DNA sequence: TGGTACATGTAACATGTTACATGATTAG
DNA sequence: CTAATCATGTAACATGTTACATGTACCA
């Protein structure tokens, strides 16, 4: 078997390997797991998962198992995969990338019709309020879980980031001048 | 002249048009302007700027002027460009995208050597502290500028986002358990 | 005269997105 | 039996990144 030894992983591939540390998963499961566990600060699409899985299988980092019911095909991490994952964790993570289109619209607000701007702002404020609520529910669930059954300290730390981020975003919305937010009540 | 009428703009192209509302700029100037004005929540590379400029020129949204000293080539927004920009502002901005590799490393912390993790965390905390300081300086500068000379309300609003974001990130770092942050003092 | 900052651009590649095609299994 | 959900995958395209090639102007 010919295996390309150490093509550096990208963060998306690495996170799939991270999930596979806890046992074999199918592409479908990985999509769902990634959405749930890291969706707040890392987006992954189905296409990417299958592509990365195929590439990693070719590189010997994962192994496809027998197809089961509904064609489910579980992937298992290999020793080479663990090694690649460890090598990835040793590298300094890149700076975060934020792409927030609403901020562009706000930043160019001088050239945007005020009702439009206020409408966009109200829409996004509502979405963020929902996300904050969902994170608070997750946090409450984690705190009431019996010790050893809830998510571990590391997962809690990333959840805490989401919580603080959403709170900061909401505070920003609420501090916006009325010229941008529009008449009070539009987003309450 | 054949002009493709309304190929929808992407946010990067739209932001270039946004800057061109204030007068002609060269590709080089646009890179610098974007970095300064929207770099905190929207990254743009040189390659992209020249590519988008060429595409927009082909679509009649901008017009290349005469080459000046050092081959500087100023681009001017056309009426079609203003129209395309306005159409872009009318669309509901997409949700923000955050990709924060450090959070992946933290989230998978159970599989990462503790000194490594603490090292990465300390590095990023320091970078964020620097960014917060730079935003605070910008804010102070804006506040002390004579009325009408500092950045407008819209730019202040986006600066305010950066400020709140960085404060939230630092607070998150400082709330991290010692098992993740490492021995106290490492990042002070 | 030599280094740095300015300035434009291309090429190759990596990554991300959207849409589609196909079929299995389960619940009602 | 039929609609919804599960599940895998491909294709086409858009966007983003990195590296390079080329040359100009300024300043020490």
């Amino acid at each position: 078997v010919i295996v390309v030894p150490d093509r550096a992983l990208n963060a998306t591939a690495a996170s799939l390997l991270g999930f596979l540390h806890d046992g074999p998963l199918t592409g479908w499961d990985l999509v769902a797991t990634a959405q749930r566990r890291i969706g707040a600060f890392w987006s992954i699409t189905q296409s990417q998962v299958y592509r990365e899985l195929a590439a990693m299988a070719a590189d010997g980092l994962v192994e496809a198992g027998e197809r089961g019911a509904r064609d489910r095909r579980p992937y298992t991490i290999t020793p080479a995969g663990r090694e690649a994952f460890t090598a990835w964790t040793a590298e300094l993570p890149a700076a975060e990338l934020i792409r927030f289109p609403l901020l562009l619209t706000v930043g160019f607000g001088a050239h945007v019709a005020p009702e439009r701007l206020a409408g966009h702002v109200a829409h996004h404020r509502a979405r963020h309020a929902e996300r904050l609520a969902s994170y608070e529910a997750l946090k409450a669930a984690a705190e009431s879980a019996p010790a050893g059954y809830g998510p571990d300290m590391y997962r809690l730390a990333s959840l805490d980031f989401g919580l603080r981020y959403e709170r900061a975003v909401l505070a920003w919305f609420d501090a916006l001048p009325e010229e941008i937010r529009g008449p009070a009540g539009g987003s309450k």
Side-chain angles (χ1 to χ4, degrees), chain A residues 15-61:
Chain A
S15 67
L16 299 181
L17 290 180
F19 293 127
L20 291 177
H21 274 73
D22 302 328
L25 291 168
T26 67
W28 184 266
D29 294 336
L30 281 166
V31 171
T33 303
Q35 175 57 35
R36 183 167 39 85
R37 294 251 317 254
I38 60 176
F41 50 85
W42 202 269
S43 68
I44 286 184
T45 62
Q46 241 184 12
S47 283
Q48 263 177 294
V49 169
Y50 289 112
R51 184 157 74 192
E52 295 293 349
L53 242 20
M56 290 197 292
D59 289 353
L61 308 183

Side-chain angles (χ1 to χ4, degrees), chain A residues 5-6 9 17 21 61 77-89:
Chain A
D6 43 44
L9 289 179
L17 290 180
H21 274 73
L61 308 183
I77 188 168
T78 65
R82 283 173 197 276
E83 214 175 287
F85 179 83
T86 301
W88 177 77
T89 65

Side-chain angles (χ1 to χ4, degrees), chain A residues 163-184:
Chain A
L163 220 40
R164 288 171 185 273
Y165 172 75
E166 293 299 339
R167 283 194 196 121
V169 171
L170 277 188
W172 173 77
F173 274 112
D174 293 338
L176 243 24
E178 211 179 295
E179 291 92 329
I180 295 177
R181 266 194 100 188

Side-chain angles (χ1 to χ4, degrees), chain A residues 4-153:
Chain A
V4 178
D6 43 44
R7 242 180 12 104
L9 289 179
N10 62 46
T12 295
S15 67
L16 299 181
L17 290 180
F19 293 127
L20 291 177
H21 274 73
D22 302 328
L25 291 168
T26 67
W28 184 266
D29 294 336
L30 281 166
V31 171
T33 303
Q35 175 57 35
R36 183 167 39 85
R37 294 251 317 254
I38 60 176
F41 50 85
W42 202 269
S43 68
I44 286 184
T45 62
Q46 241 184 12
S47 283
Q48 263 177 294
V49 169
Y50 289 112
R51 184 157 74 192
E52 295 293 349
L53 242 20
M56 290 197 292
D59 289 353
L61 308 183
V62 295
E63 244 166 33
E66 292 289 295
R67 284 176 188 275
R70 285 188 181 195
D71 257 18
R72 287 173 63 83
R73 174 183 279 212
Y75 285 85
T76 308
I77 188 168
T78 65
R82 283 173 197 276
E83 214 175 287
F85 179 83
T86 301
W88 177 77
T89 65
E91 277 162 39
L92 186 64
E96 84 270 28
L97 179 70
I98 301 188
R99 308 209 126 207
F100 205 153
L102 178 67
L103 288 177
L104 292 177
T105 315
V106 167
F108 291 120
H111 310 300
V112 180
E115 339 68 77
R116 285 248 220 255
L117 185 56
H120 295 338
V121 164
H123 175 90
H124 281 276
R125 189 193 181 285
R127 294 292 80 72
H128 281 279
E130 287 165 13
R131 272 170 52 179
L132 175 57
S134 79
Y135 292 163
E136 302 211 306
L138 280 178
K139 194 192 183 190
E143 276 168 356
S144 67
Y149 279 87
D152 63 31
M153 165 182 33

